[in-house]
Amino acid sequence: MNSEHEVPAESDDPDVWELRLYVAGQTPKSIQALQNLQRLCEEHLRGRYRIEVIDLHKHPKLAKQDEIVAIPTLVRKLPDPIRRVIGDLSNVEKTLLGLQLVPANAP
Amino acid sequence: MTASTASPRASIPKAPTGIHGLDDITGGGLPRGRPTLVCGSAGCGKTLMAMEFLVRGATDYDEPGVFFAFEETADDLTANVRSLGFDLEDLAARDKLVVEHIRVERSEIEEAGEFDLEGLFIRLGLAIDTVGAKRVVLDTLETLFGGFDNEAILRSELRRLFRWLKDRGVTAVITAERGDGTLTRQGLEEYVSDCVIQLDHRMHDQVSTRRLRIVKYRGTTHGTNEYPFLIDSDGFSVLPLSSLKLDHVASTERVSTGIERLDSMLAGGVYRGTSVLLSGTAGTGKSSIAAHMAAASCERGERCLYYSFEESPQQVLRNMRSINLDLGPWLANGMLHFVSTRPTFHGLEMHLATMFKHIREFDPRLVVIDPISNFITVGTAGEAQSMLLRLVDYLKSRQCTAVFVSLVSGGKGLLEATEQNVSSLIDTWILLRDVELGGERNRGLHVLKSRGTAHSNQVREFVLTSHGVELRDVYVGPEGVLTGSMRLAQEAREREAAEARRHAMARKRREIERKRHALEAQIASLRAQAESEELELELLLSAEEAVDRRLTDDRSSMALSRRADADNEEEETA
């Protein structure tokens, strides 16, 4: 894979969330987005998530392949269906809504 | 690089679009290295225009292009423009063109915080670099406004995008939907300030007309009118017609009309490249004259384009055969080309555009339009006139002789006024009319005007015979203008009268002859008398002389005998 595995999770678990964050260089927005994402995952998905960060400046072809327009874009590859959240993820509620983490976390 | 500029002192470098007509209006193309906004309502041809700009650039000007489609997928787009003869797959395979679909699905995206459109920039940059693109199309950028909520970010990103495009030095076309009272729905004209082109699609009496207008073009002069444009199997074409000037060459060559007598009325025919109007009421033989002119043109070896808006080509052929004019061979050898459509089938602009195309492709020396009256049923009178004006100008600029047939509805006052008011455009106007006399209708022809020609001012009777069109002198006498059988009757009467006059003359001559004879006889007898009297006088005179001489002789002999001269004798005897 052309990416840095930020936080590895237990391997091959069907319950594992596969998240991919597309950034373009180390901009304040992308740094913040990654921080926000990590905090969120730790909070809601501890131990069953995997984050892959893709720098489109390094791999520009992936932008077309994965249909990325806005930066940063967070893509939930697994579980199905694919969901997308854009922005620096500072709006936690919307991020959770976008990732459909809210119902899972609801008591 | 293809540098194209309108005038020697052109202001800014331009990138030719290769779109027929558009480069004429813009004076050479779109501003090179700058974005151009193409706006218009749905279905007005924005995408096609943008696509042709790219395709022509890639094929004709060696400028590869990138097409970013925000609305259609690349496959759809490829299929759509294939009907215009654009093979995007081939161009893509030759690295001349990149077509990329940018999919922004609002329902799949959640916005959580600040973002930018760097992804789009990266994709665009990559696409430009892959083929070394000089041209970029973003169709339709405004779709982004539907995909994202944060308009403030979007606007600042768009501003950055246009700056970025300029920095990259690509000639860009950005399409946008027309807004309510504004050029574009999202006010994109605010960002793209170099060149704005507006497309329009209007309906008039259920007939559609497409128009193009250059709203602004910074740093250059451009046509400011609305120009009709056309999308057909050859792509996009704009008609830069109103920019035509009156500077066509005036030929002094005469072109025969194919009717000998008509040629002599026109002092040898019509000038090449002029326009001829044949107007008249129904059934006055307008088409027959037009067909003669067409045949004459073909005979000279000059191609003729015949627009028949009322009859099918077969119908025209059959009808002309009845006056012994066979157009069949010319049709077969390609000298004559018929175009038969109903005028109502297209809008006026569409008509004009297709006509221009035919004329360009076929390159005729004579164009017959039979009739022009039908155009008025399509557009308004003003539109029809402006269309004809442009057509006449176009044909003149090509030195192509034009024959317009115009049907005039009856009524005395209307005869010399064509409905389209085209008379000012027309160089030679031949008027055909009915002459109704003595229970029959006959055809009269006269040349109402013919610019630059000492044309005949006579009305001629125009007869369609089984061996063609014939022009005859009409009877003009104390009893008025007579035509047809009345003319024949009158001519017979005149012949009789002339015969009678001739007889009377002969009689008179004989009478005078006789009188002269009598007089001469009289003169002769008088002269004889005079002569005999003279003779008598002479006889008398000579008799008198004789008497005189005898008297003298007698006297001298008497004197002798009386010895009157005795002295002499005495002297002798002494």
Side-chain angles (χ1 to χ4, degrees), chain A residues 67 69 71 86-89 94, chain B residues 103 110-112 114 116 119:
Chain A
E67 295 182 333
V69 174
I71 294 288
I86 60 167
D88 58 12
L89 310 182
K94 280 203 166 179
Chain B
R103 189 164 155 274
E110 194 69 52
E111 276 178 52
E114 296 233 325
D116 57 39

Side-chain angles (χ1 to χ4, degrees), chain B residues 168-434:
Chain B
R168 297 285 313 225
V170 291
T171 311
V173 169
I174 293 105
T175 64
E177 285 278 312
R178 172 136 81 187
D180 203 11
T182 54
L183 283 175
T184 62
R185 199 171 288 164
Q186 304 297 342
L188 285 184
E189 62 268 27
E190 198 180 313
Y191 310 116
V192 186
S193 48
D194 292 304
C195 181
V196 179
I197 295 173
Q198 190 183 354
L199 303 182
D200 191 14
H201 194 201
R202 236 172 282 166
M203 297 296 284
H204 177 83
D205 278 349
Q206 304 173 12
V207 175
S208 76
T209 308
R210 297 170 191 272
R211 286 168 210 274
L212 175 146
R213 182 166 77 95
I214 295 171
V215 180
K216 77 172 185 188
Y217 196 154
R218 192 174 276 176
T220 186
T221 54
H222 58 86
T224 50
N225 298 343
E226 277 194 323
Y227 302 92
F229 71 91
L230 179 72
I231 297 170
D232 63 5
S233 54
D234 287 342
F236 205 91
S237 49
V238 187
L239 311 173
L241 305 156
S242 336
S243 63
L244 288 178
K245 287 169 241 141
L246 276 173
D247 56 359
H248 9 264
V249 193
S251 170
T252 50
E253 186 192 342
R254 297 277 186 172
V255 178
S256 166
T257 58
I259 302 164
E260 210 179 306
R261 201 65 198 277
L262 187 56
D263 285 347
S264 61
M265 281 178 84
L266 292 164
V270 296
Y271 285 121
R272 177 178 299 286
T274 57
S275 45
V276 180
L277 177 67
L278 294 167
S279 77
T281 48
T284 43
K286 302 177 294 292
S287 301
S288 305
I289 293 187
H292 267 83
M293 294 185 77
S297 166
C298 294
E299 222 156 281
R300 284 193 299 273
E302 298 170 355
R303 277 194 295 277
C304 172
L305 187 59
Y306 198 112
Y307 285 94
S308 171
F309 293 126
E310 281 177 340
E311 295 173 294
S312 71
Q314 277 66 35
Q315 220 176 331
V316 176
L317 286 181
R318 184 202 63 199
N319 296 348
M320 290 309 137
R321 259 185 216 120
S322 73
I323 56 164
N324 198 32
L325 186 67
D326 194 1
L327 297 172
W330 307 122
L331 196 60
N333 73 6
M335 292 303 288
L336 181 66
H337 183 62
F338 270 102
V339 180
S340 290
T341 45
R342 287 263 171 214
T344 40
F345 186 68
H346 304 301
L348 275 184
E349 305 296 0
M350 182 77 171
H351 253 300
L352 194 59
T354 41
M355 283 169 119
F356 275 37
K357 231 182 87 186
H358 289 146
I359 293 165
R360 253 196 330 269
E361 282 165 9
F362 189 62
D363 193 25
R365 308 303 321 140
L366 182 79
V367 172
V368 177
I369 294 161
D370 181 12
I372 53 169
S373 341
N374 279 17
F375 286 123
I376 209 153
T377 57
V378 182
T380 62
E383 278 171 358
Q385 195 193 352
S386 85
M387 174 205 162
L388 285 170
L389 170 74
R390 285 174 345 215
L391 184 61
V392 166
D393 277 347
Y394 184 65
L395 290 173
K396 281 194 175 174
S397 70
R398 296 183 68 94
Q399 280 293 293
C400 178
T401 314
V403 178
F404 301 101
V405 174
S406 171
L407 175 72
V408 182
S409 49
K412 293 224 164 180
L414 285 170
L415 257 181
E416 298 195 0
T418 47
E419 283 167 274
Q420 287 73 34
N421 293 315
V422 290
S423 68
S424 59
L425 310 172
I426 297 296
D427 298 303
T428 301
W429 187 350
I430 297 169
L431 192 62
L432 295 160
R433 62 177 188 198
D434 277 332

Side-chain angles (χ1 to χ4, degrees), chain A residues 23-24 27 29 56-57 60-61 63-64 67-72 82-91 94-95 97-98, chain B residues 70 98-104 107-123 126 144 147-149:
Chain A
V23 295
T27 61
K29 271 203 283 283
L56 290 177
H57 277 165
K61 283 187 178 154
K64 180 182 179 181
E67 295 182 333
I68 305 302
V69 174
I71 294 288
I82 287 180
R83 303 284 305 170
R84 285 160 183 262
V85 181
I86 60 167
D88 58 12
L89 310 182
S90 54
N91 188 329
K94 280 203 166 179
T95 311
L97 195 70
Chain B
F70 291 83
V98 173
V99 180
E100 193 168 325
H101 174 52
I102 304 289
R103 189 164 155 274
V104 180
S107 60
E108 289 175 6
I109 297 172
E110 194 69 52
E111 276 178 52
E114 296 233 325
F115 64 95
D116 57 39
L117 295 180
E118 190 60 29
L120 181 66
F121 285 71
I122 288 170
R123 290 171 74 171
L126 183 67
L144 288 178
F148 301 101
D149 281 342

